Amino acid sequence: MTLVLLEIVLGIDNLVFIAILADRLPNHQRDKARYIGLSLALLMRIAMLGTMSWLITLTRPLFAIGTAEFSGKDLLLLAGGLFLTFKATIELHERLEGTVHTGTGGKAQANFWLVIAQIVVLDAVFSIDSVITAVGMADYLGVMVAAVVIAMIVMMVSSRPLTLFVNAHPTVVILCLSFLLMIGFSLIADGFGFHIPKGYLYAAIGFSVLIEAFNQVSQRNLRLNEARQPLRERTAEAILRLMGSARRAEESDADNAHGAVSATEPRDVFAREERQMITGVLTLAERSVRRIMTPRSDISWLDSTTDSAMLKKQLLATPHSLFPLCHGSLDMVIGVVRAKELLVVIDQGADVEAFARRHPPLLVPDQIDNMQLLPRLREAKGSLILLIDEYGSVQGLVTPHDLLEAIAGDFPDADETPDILKDAEGWLVKGTTDLYQLEQAIEGLSITPEAVDFVSVGGLFMEKLGHLPVVGEAIQVGDCTFTVVKLDRQRVELARVTIAPPSSTAVEPPA
């Protein structure tokens, strides 16, 4: 039993290297290669045990170079060590460079026999220690053969799970190749007569295995923590890393340690507009409907109590095609009318309220999320949707155009100026500008609030200052300074955003 355990320990390095070599082959050939390789190793060790008298002669010096004498065993160790060092170095280089082994058709068959040939050479190298150990510990050939056979059966049974484990953990493969490189170097040293005690090698291997075990535990815990995130969020983060978006800098190095997609090169693959649209789609469900709606203060609506001439003038002066028609106030909505149809009704002198009642408004609560809003927009068939609060007061409206802007960015109407204008000093932004839209325009800016009640630049001022802002008052958010430029009564109409040192004060006194 002692000899069986020693044979298993001495055969682990052989088993690991066979697993690494078999990984080069297609899936349906890997098991076959492992079993053939281990069977050849078993036959080779039994044959070598049967020629013990010849093995003993391998220790006799064959020639000398200076004071160094070389025996047959030394030459075998040198050849095996050089081959093992060469193969381990080549495999390490390919793994570190990310070379992918592929093979189909005839090429795969040729690779199969090439791998078998390499396994045979490796078996010859690794069998020397195994056979010498057996000869040194037992006096009977039957005991030696039985121990070798039992150890090889155990190795055959464990070869598949060990191979799956090694292939599933890239860092383990690198560690195993490093072990084989160290073993190859020790064989070369032995061939030149410099014996390295096995205890030193096993201690180094054991310590490295312990550190790798800690690494595997940490990676497993990291994956478990990530698995607690919603699938949508994990998918969005992975695609954002692939696109090389601004959020990439927030990702930890541990993601790449367990196979996450690297974001170092795709930066130039996606244009800025493409990244913005994909990000808009992925984050649409996370954003409140308040982020995409036209707020109450910006709604263009028609008052049915106004005379026909004024209604016609308002229709011709505003580039919108749809209007809520109300009686006295926006909260008294009668219907949603099309401008060209209402112009015909006005010219004919018909009752505009009676006409509007044939097109009742589609009202939805302002707490609805964007995914629930999509089927309602389809139901509206090109019309607009009014968002109301629990008191029935209109808070905003949404059109398919607003949804497009949420995904692809701002499309100003003919009577609008862009929400964000870049100049020599920074950016001029409207107080109603959505913070998500501002993040997209200023790359690297991260100010989107979570679980708060404000979504605009004006709301950001109120949140940071705690009072109504005045012209010239400023706040600091990260590396950016927000300064009030213009007020419309008590509302921030225009603000300037400039890049400022992070050490600037959070709130500056009014100018």
Side-chain angles (χ1 to χ4, degrees), residues 273-393:
E273 291 76 12
E274 290 177 307
R275 294 202 305 270
Q276 180 173 334
M277 285 189 290
I278 296 175
T279 305
V281 171
L282 293 175
T283 59
L284 185 61
E286 302 174 1
R287 285 179 275 162
S288 165
V289 70
R290 295 175 60 196
R291 289 185 172 276
I292 70 171
M293 74 179 186
T294 300
R296 178 188 178 100
S297 58
D298 293 337
I299 295 177
S300 297
W301 58 281
L302 302 174
D303 189 354
S304 63
T305 61
T306 306
D307 61 80
S308 299
M310 185 60 68
L311 278 178
K312 188 173 182 179
K313 182 179 179 181
Q314 185 177 355
L315 286 171
L316 294 175
T318 309
H320 302 305
S321 60
L322 288 171
F323 293 87
L325 184 68
C326 310
H327 185 82
S329 73
L330 181 58
D331 294 328
M332 302 295 292
V333 183
I334 302 171
V336 177
V337 296
R338 297 189 179 275
K340 61 180 182 180
E341 295 176 351
L342 188 59
L343 283 172
V344 174
V345 171
I346 293 175
D347 289 339
Q348 293 176 350
D351 186 356
V352 294
E353 289 194 359
F355 170 74
R357 289 191 184 94
R358 297 186 344 224
H359 308 280
L362 185 58
L363 305 175
V364 298
D366 61 353
Q367 299 301 318
I368 191 173
D369 63 53
N370 291 328
M371 293 298 101
Q372 294 173 325
L373 187 64
L374 281 174
R376 304 306 301 271
L377 280 172
R378 295 191 185 98
E379 182 183 338
K381 296 180 180 179
S383 184
L384 56 82
I385 293 178
L386 293 172
L387 302 170
I388 59 174
D389 60 15
E390 62 269 29
Y391 303 107
S393 178

Side-chain angles (χ1 to χ4, degrees), residues 97-147:
E97 291 294 325
T99 304
V100 179
H101 303 293
T102 58
T104 56
K107 182 179 178 182
Q109 189 66 23
N111 285 343
F112 177 81
W113 292 111
L114 179 62
V115 169
I116 293 298
Q118 294 179 22
I119 290 175
V120 170
V121 176
L122 288 171
D123 286 339
V125 175
F126 287 116
S127 294
I128 296 175
D129 279 345
S130 177
V131 171
I132 291 176
T133 300
V135 171
M137 286 195 62
D139 297 327
Y140 301 99
L141 180 61
V143 174
M144 301 177 197
V145 173

Side-chain angles (χ1 to χ4, degrees), residues 456-476:
S456 64
V457 172
L460 180 64
F461 275 101
M462 292 293 293
E463 173 71 16
K464 293 290 185 180
L465 294 174
H467 60 264
L468 294 175
V470 297
V471 174
E473 201 161 11
I475 59 174
Q476 186 76 32

